[in-house]
Amino acid sequence: MEMELYSNEDLHYLDNAATTFPKPESVLRSAVKFCAAACVNPGRSTFDLAMEASNMLLTARQKLCALFGGTDHERLVFGYNATDALNLVIFGLMRQGGHVVSTRLEHNSVLRPIHHCMDDFGAEATFVGFDSSGYVDPQEIRKAIRPDTKLVIINHGSNVIGTVQDAAAIGAVCREAGVLFCIDAAQTAGVIPIDMQQMNIDVVAFTAHKSLLGPMGVGGLCVGEDVVIPHSRAGGTGVKSAQLRHLEEYPFRLEYGTPNMVGIAGLVKGVEYIEEQGGVAAVHEKEMVLAKILWDGFRDTNGVKLYCADTLEARTPVFSFNINGMDPSEVGTRLDVDYSVACRTGLHCAPFAHEDIGTTPKGAVRFSVGPLTTEKDVTAGVAAVKELAAERN
Ligand SMILES: Cc1ncc(COP(=O)(O)O)c(C=O)c1O
């Protein structure tokens, strides 16, 4: 099947923290092939095509469960994105009230559901701060846990400053306190190794369209053994149709209606692409080589303020910066129009993080590298920032 593939050599796409682009060709072909050749519901029937769809879904559950170090692929559930998955966890657990510990690095996909649970259901929350380098001290999480704490939910990799939290140390604190521990892995799944068992993580929330290289519209949860997340929705599952309450067993427990099978078909190939590159750690290492070019360039340019990037350790290739005297949105427009550099400006859906790094209300400019970013893209980004900064010096 002929398909027109992205081929704009002149665009330097540095907005991979929003969504990775371009996607590997295998991802696109798999999604299109599934749509054309086997686009039927999984698990509902036994004719050949339905079995093919069910097998593809099973492969996806197995591959993602293995990627996160989960124990049971049936506990890998699919929803629509990280926001959807995080809502299931937060509303599921906090709708009856109680206390949740989170951080000031969170994305609105965590902050807003928590605030709704506070306003509407009387839940209480403690948002732990981060230090001047962008890291949350696991001991501060320990101090924030109360006898009525039901959930600790943290941003694993910041979509603003790129810092990666010590999930294993926070997991150990949660395990000791007997509190459920969930990570928002929207920015880390596929680029930072995650091992739920070693790190004492109970729930991983992921999205397909960032470093997992899948299409938009797929995300989900990998849920650990013995972890109970009450339903906050109910609906069709294709099985046990006479039952009038939603199923308790996984994966149905947290899946509602027909999944995005076309997206999942693409996602399987995204995970395979990561495997072919040598795995998650190898992808990270390769991206950090390009990140260093950005980092060196920013630090070497007068008038550029880079936030929380003292080191390249324990981080993803996501950087926020501002240029002296320039509005970040103006920088974004100039980068796009004059240099064909695509980036993201503003508050990046993380209002507390920007408040704490001192960039409220206008935010910052963000550059982010992905698995298909080239050296040409990052050198073009650095050259453009240097020229813009020189205009102000
Ligand atoms: C840290 C973080 N959490 C959650 C999300 C939400 O992801 P999605 O838009 O796929 O739901 C994002 C997206 O940018 C993110 O960066």
Side-chain angles (χ1 to χ4, degrees):
M1 179 182 303
E2 274 312 301
M3 196 168 31
E4 200 170 318
L5 294 170
Y6 168 79
S7 66
N8 184 354
E9 288 284 305
D10 298 329
L11 174 73
H12 305 294
Y13 182 79
L14 293 175
D15 195 17
N16 290 277
T19 198
T20 48
F21 183 76
K23 306 292 182 195
E25 196 177 325
S26 56
V27 169
L28 309 178
R29 291 201 181 282
S30 174
V32 171
K33 189 172 162 212
F34 181 86
C35 202
C39 207
V40 300
N41 274 64
R44 271 83 168 154
S45 314
T46 51
F47 56 89
D48 284 354
L49 272 188
M51 294 304 286
E52 209 175 300
S54 296
N55 287 339
M56 190 279 289
L57 189 56
L58 174 65
T59 304
R61 292 194 205 281
Q62 289 169 332
K63 278 190 180 293
L64 282 154
C65 182
L67 191 76
F68 299 136
T71 48
D72 177 4
H73 65 262
E74 299 265 286
R75 287 174 164 258
L76 188 298
V77 299
F78 286 109
Y80 303 111
N81 46 43
T83 306
D84 181 53
L86 290 160
N87 267 264
L88 284 181
V89 175
I90 297 167
F91 278 100
L93 288 160
M94 304 311 302
R95 244 181 347 165
Q96 282 86 28
H99 179 241
V100 51
V101 175
S102 191
T103 81
R104 290 189 59 85
L105 278 168
E106 301 312 307
H107 187 273
N108 275 335
S109 52
V110 169
L111 291 180
R112 286 180 176 164
I114 289 181
H115 279 84
H116 279 262
C117 288
M118 290 163 73
D119 293 348
D120 301 341
F121 308 117
E124 292 180 21
T126 305
F127 294 98
V128 174
F130 51 94
D131 65 19
S132 58
S133 303
Y135 297 96
V136 174
D137 180 349
Q139 295 316 317
E140 295 301 314
I141 300 278
R142 183 194 298 279
K143 283 185 213 158
I145 292 176
R146 312 192 316 208
D148 63 338
T149 304
K150 288 182 172 170
L151 170 69
V152 170
I153 185 162
I154 63 148
N155 172 294
H156 190 208
S158 168
N159 61 311
V160 178
I161 50 178
T163 50
V164 174
Q165 303 309 322
D166 188 345
I170 298 173
V173 165
C174 295
R175 186 53 48 100
E176 200 185 305
V179 176
L180 206 139
F181 178 41
C182 173
I183 63 167
D184 169 4
Q187 291 293 335
T188 52
V191 69
I192 298 289
I194 294 171
D195 187 324
M196 293 175 70
Q197 290 166 78
Q198 263 181 22
M199 297 172 158
N200 285 318
I201 299 167
D202 293 303
V203 187
V204 173
F206 65 92
T207 199
H209 67 101
K210 299 187 196 265
S211 291
L212 291 171
L213 292 164
M216 293 163 171
V218 182
L221 297 169
C222 192
V223 182
E225 299 287 339
D226 303 323
V227 174
V228 179
I229 302 174
H231 308 132
S232 48
R233 294 180 198 154
T237 52
V239 295
K240 298 194 180 171
S241 293
Q243 185 173 311
L244 289 179
R245 284 190 62 85
H246 199 82
L247 277 57
E248 298 294 328
E249 61 267 35
Y250 284 94
F252 308 108
R253 183 183 182 92
L254 296 177
E255 283 185 353
Y256 312 88
T258 305
N260 178 354
M261 294 294 286
V262 175
I264 294 170
L267 171 59
V268 170
K269 292 292 171 189
V271 178
E272 278 175 16
Y273 181 89
I274 294 166
E275 289 164 1
E276 285 157 15
Q277 304 303 301
V280 172
V283 170
H284 182 245
E285 198 178 321
K286 183 175 158 235
E287 289 187 12
M288 291 312 287
V289 172
L290 300 184
K292 185 164 187 318
I293 297 174
L294 289 178
W295 192 63
D296 288 340
F298 290 135
R299 283 157 47 102
D300 167 58
T301 307
N302 278 341
V304 170
K305 165 116 182 96
L306 187 57
Y307 300 99
C308 296
D310 315 336
T311 137
L312 288 179
E313 296 301 309
R315 61 176 304 122
T316 58
V318 175
F319 298 102
S320 279
F321 64 94
N322 271 313
I323 298 179
N324 258 353
M326 281 184 90
D327 195 312
S329 65
E330 184 195 344
V331 174
T333 306
R334 291 286 309 278
L335 286 168
D336 171 26
V337 174
D338 297 342
Y339 302 96
S340 292
V341 170
C343 66
R344 174 89 190 274
T345 65
L347 295 178
H348 309 105
C349 302
F352 288 171
H354 275 283
E355 216 173 285
D356 293 0
I357 64 172
T359 46
T360 301
K362 290 188 174 166
V365 185
R366 182 182 73 188
F367 277 6
S368 48
V369 166
L372 276 79
T373 304
T374 63
E375 188 170 333
K376 198 169 147 210
D377 294 324
V378 289
T379 49
V382 168
V385 169
K386 280 187 183 293
E387 278 195 27
L388 291 178
E391 287 179 13
R392 300 292 158 139
N393 287 325

